[in-house]
Amino acid sequence: MTSPARQPAVWIALFEQSQTDSRSLRERTCSALRQAITAGQLAQGTRLPSTRTLAGDLGIARVTAEAAYAQLEAEGYIERRVGDGSYVRVDTTRFAGSRAQTVPHGMATSALSARGEAILRGGGCRDPLTPLAFAAGSPDLNAFPLELWNKLSSKRLRQNGAALLRYGDPQGYLPLRSALAAYLNQSRGLRCSAEQVLILTSSQQALQLIATLLLDQGDAVWIEEPGYNGAKTAFAAMGAQLLPVPVDADGMNPALAPAGSSPRLIYLTPSHQYPTGVPLSLPRRLALLDYAQQQQAWIVEDDYDSEFQYDGHPLPALQGIDRHGRVLYIGTFSKVLFPSLRLAYLVLPPGLAERFALARTVFDGHSAQLPQAITADFIEQGHFAAHLRHMRQLYRSRRDLLLETLRQQLPALQPLGGISGGLQLTVQLPPGEETRLTRAAAQAGVATPGLAGMYLSPARRDGWVLGYAALPNAEIVEGVRRLAAQFNTAQA
Ligand SMILES: Cc1ncc(COP(=O)(O)O)c(C=O)c1O
């Protein structure tokens, strides 16, 4: 047995570190000793100080020290011998690496699995937490009808609150699926029933589920070039081989796909290509559908912001003209309602919906019931359509303001591709200038998400994807003014 642990006691430091937390003194004492034991700083057999000494060291009452020892004994960390003392009971050498340096929050230092490494290789795909000028993709949440949402929520909880607290259908709350099917058929030209709709937390989850269930290691995936990095990370994480297919004024051009490549899946944003904003033309739609049928490939249609079309109407969804069940359609409430709602949907070809819903139970069970119920009411009672009308007007005026202010103050920055909708505008920069100008913009306090990083191949264009929808007019004008000042200095 080792002699009493009288070296400057590590648990004193650990105890002091927990000073600001709200736990009781007994719990903080237990926690400090537990940490010292599991980190290997107190080896098996080490004699612990008496309760009197411990109380003195930590500045706590003796009765508290006594209670802490009793608790640690009950948990099996220490052993108390009558007339002798207290000793560390567990052998921490069994925990590989427990003597190694302390790792923040006890995080394992061991390497991730090959899959884990593949998932992180793409750098993740986080969205900005606050919509500062000109972070891309954020809706204006100040214009959201919170009071109405609150009313719908209270009503739901009053009427059938207890039922909504239960586990829910993995495929999604049926009234929401029905409301969505009706909306999508009418407004987006889909042909689907509630049985084909799967409610998920996000487009990203839809992409991840698709990649997991439909792709094998090494499968080729055609990706729009430039294209949405969230999709690329989801497919690459599952071991897919990403093949960039250039986008021109008509959207993805299959004639420019890598020769001889036969994709298992084609990822498209046909209504409003991300990030160029061009719509996929009808001839291309038909050609890609035909090609997918011939190759028995899947088409993923990510319809992330088609509700925000300001000049004319968007083409109906590709899903609506697919006669062979090759299209998987993704929509999200992140832009049209609010991102923290965490509701999105996947419309699947008949036959796949049940299998996807079952697979989903392996990952996260189902989406939260109450938000689904409120969203269903919001749609059915006509609030969704009204909200969209309102937001479309607001965003259109902001887009106009951004275009006009750019035209006046930064005529060198030409929009690239489409400008008829969405929450952001992509502009071109002089070749090779993106990194330098982005740094200069950041120094002026303006975020300018880059375009070059959305290409897979080295033939990239420099540019910025300027999000404007969430910004009040004054911020748009001020943002452009700052950009213009930097740009003009940098170009001088
Ligand atoms: C093309 C595209 N798809 C999907 C999303 C995100 O949707 P969600 O928040 O539901 O993952 C975005 C966000 O900017 C996007 O640009």
Side-chain angles (χ1 to χ4, degrees), residues 8-25:
V10 283
W11 59 83
I12 299 182
L14 290 167
F15 180 80
E16 280 165 4
Q17 278 165 23
S18 66
Q19 221 163 29
T20 52
D21 73 35
S22 56
R23 292 173 301 170
S24 68
L25 290 172

Side-chain angles (χ1 to χ4, degrees), residues 319-335:
Q319 196 272 2
I321 51 169
D322 167 27
R323 286 177 297 116
H324 302 288
R326 305 311 307 170
V327 175
L328 293 87
Y329 175 95
I330 301 176
T332 177
F333 285 109
S334 289
K335 320 284 180 197

Side-chain angles (χ1 to χ4, degrees), residues 127 136-138 201-205 207 228 267 269 272 274 302-305 330-335 339 342-344 424:
D127 291 304
S138 304
T201 56
S202 57
S203 306
Q204 199 57 35
Q205 190 187 26
L207 291 164
Y228 179 51
Y267 171 79
T269 46
H272 182 236
Y274 190 86
D302 184 353
D303 203 18
Y304 64 106
D305 72 355
I330 301 176
T332 177
F333 285 109
S334 289
K335 320 284 180 197
R342 296 289 78 196
L343 284 182
Q424 59 270 322

Side-chain angles (χ1 to χ4, degrees), residues 14 33-42 92 95 97-100 102:
L14 290 167
L33 284 162
R34 262 189 232 113
Q35 276 185 59
I37 293 170
T38 48
Q41 290 159 316
L42 288 174
T92 56
F95 306 116
S98 61
R99 272 176 197 281
T102 321

Side-chain angles (χ1 to χ4, degrees), residues 144-208:
F144 188 77
L146 270 178
E147 239 172 68
L148 170 62
W149 193 261
N150 191 23
K151 262 194 210 138
L152 294 175
S153 168
S154 309
K155 194 164 171 204
R156 269 298 183 162
L157 284 171
R158 257 199 325 275
Q159 280 176 349
N160 57 349
L164 292 171
L165 304 186
R166 292 189 204 126
Y167 284 111
D169 181 344
Q171 194 172 342
Y173 185 66
L174 184 56
L176 177 59
R177 288 195 276 125
S178 304
L180 264 173
Y183 159 72
L184 292 170
N185 291 342
Q186 200 203 330
S187 300
R188 297 294 304 118
L190 269 79
R191 288 188 303 171
C192 70
S193 66
E195 284 66 50
Q196 288 169 260
V197 179
L198 171 61
I199 307 289
L200 296 166
T201 56
S202 57
S203 306
Q204 199 57 35
Q205 190 187 26
L207 291 164
Q208 189 220 345

Side-chain angles (χ1 to χ4, degrees), residues 251-429:
M252 178 188 270
N253 184 352
L256 300 179
S261 68
S262 94
R264 179 99 187 93
L265 188 147
I266 302 170
Y267 171 79
L268 296 168
T269 46
S271 301
H272 182 236
Q273 202 271 331
Y274 190 86
T276 65
V278 298
L280 186 67
S281 68
L282 188 58
R284 290 269 172 89
R285 288 172 187 238
L286 296 171
L288 281 159
L289 281 170
D290 244 17
Y291 182 72
Q293 170 59 11
Q294 272 167 37
Q295 299 285 322
Q296 291 294 288
W298 300 108
I299 290 183
V300 172
E301 176 174 23
D302 184 353
D303 203 18
Y304 64 106
D305 72 355
S306 63
E307 286 86 354
F308 301 122
Q309 185 71 27
Y310 314 129
D311 312 316
H313 293 285
L315 278 173
L318 205 53
Q319 196 272 2
I321 51 169
D322 167 27
R323 286 177 297 116
H324 302 288
R326 305 311 307 170
V327 175
L328 293 87
Y329 175 95
I330 301 176
T332 177
F333 285 109
S334 289
K335 320 284 180 197
V336 289
L337 292 180
F338 54 97
S340 78
L341 181 60
R342 296 289 78 196
L343 284 182
Y345 43 93
L346 177 54
V347 180
L348 291 147
L352 274 189
E354 250 176 61
R355 305 176 81 186
F356 267 61
L358 184 59
R360 191 262 171 100
T361 62
V362 175
F363 302 114
D364 70 341
H366 64 85
S367 298
Q369 296 251 70
L370 179 61
Q372 292 189 75
I374 302 170
T375 307
D377 292 346
F378 195 77
I379 299 174
E380 276 167 6
Q381 294 172 21
H383 306 302
F384 186 56
H387 180 59
L388 283 181
R389 272 196 303 277
H390 175 62
M391 299 313 282
R392 221 177 271 132
Q393 254 174 24
L394 183 67
Y395 296 161
R396 180 197 287 123
S397 71
R398 289 178 179 170
R399 181 216 43 188
D400 292 346
L401 178 67
L402 176 60
L403 279 171
E404 181 55 21
T405 320
L406 281 174
R407 200 181 58 75
Q408 285 173 9
Q409 299 192 29
L410 260 173
L413 256 60
Q414 287 303 313
L416 170 86
I419 54 168
S420 64
L423 309 181
Q424 59 270 322
L425 188 72
T426 302
V427 292
Q428 280 188 76
L429 290 170

